[in-house]
Amino acid sequence: MRFKLILAFADDDKTDALLDAARAAGATGATIINNARGEGLKKTRGIFGLEITSARDVLLFLVEEHRCRQILETLAEVGEFDDSPGTGIALQIDVEDAVGVKHQIATLEESFKSHQ
């Protein structure tokens, strides 16, 4: 079974909605890294010229490759990543190998069998 890693970077107030949407699209779990900091094309400045940054989360999804594109598109839609700058991004990376996913593979295999 081949996997891809989806990384999504979004404001922390969207994390729960993104997790729910990813699961509905076929993700079987996620790892969340809280309090990341991001910077876009332009720094956001507030009062007295201080930089304004909102709390961001990094969401990591190890997903079966055939489900990856649907999950990625769902994250983009729910997170409104293409609607306006600074809302977040999501990307996928090929995974060469993975361990510790035995239970996830069993669940995915059962899911595939039930859809055939």
Side-chain angles (χ1 to χ4, degrees):
M1 190 167 286
R2 298 191 47 84
F3 289 95
K4 291 192 179 266
L5 178 66
I6 296 176
L7 294 99
F9 306 85
D11 289 339
D12 65 347
D13 61 345
K14 291 189 177 187
T15 297
D16 289 335
L18 290 169
L19 291 171
D20 291 343
R23 186 168 295 277
T28 55
T31 298
I32 298 98
I33 301 171
N34 299 107
N35 297 319
R37 197 178 81 132
E39 187 175 297
L41 289 173
K42 298 178 182 177
K43 289 185 179 184
T44 306
R45 300 280 181 193
I47 193 163
F48 304 120
L50 298 174
E51 186 178 346
I52 298 174
T53 57
S54 60
R56 295 229 169 210
D57 287 343
V58 179
L59 292 74
L60 297 101
F61 303 92
L62 184 65
V63 301
E64 199 279 325
E65 72 176 339
H66 293 96
R67 296 178 179 201
C68 188
R69 186 65 195 178
Q70 177 61 40
I71 296 167
L72 192 66
E73 289 175 4
T74 299
L75 291 170
E77 182 181 330
V78 170
E80 301 173 332
F81 295 161
D82 289 327
D83 294 343
S84 61
T87 54
I89 64 169
L91 55 101
Q92 68 179 3
I93 299 172
D94 288 331
V95 174
E96 179 73 26
D97 201 359
V99 296
V101 292
K102 183 178 177 181
H103 296 296
Q104 184 176 1
I105 290 172
T107 300
L108 289 167
E109 287 174 345
E110 286 299 315
S111 174
F112 287 140
K113 287 177 187 175
S114 67
H115 286 100
Q116 293 179 349

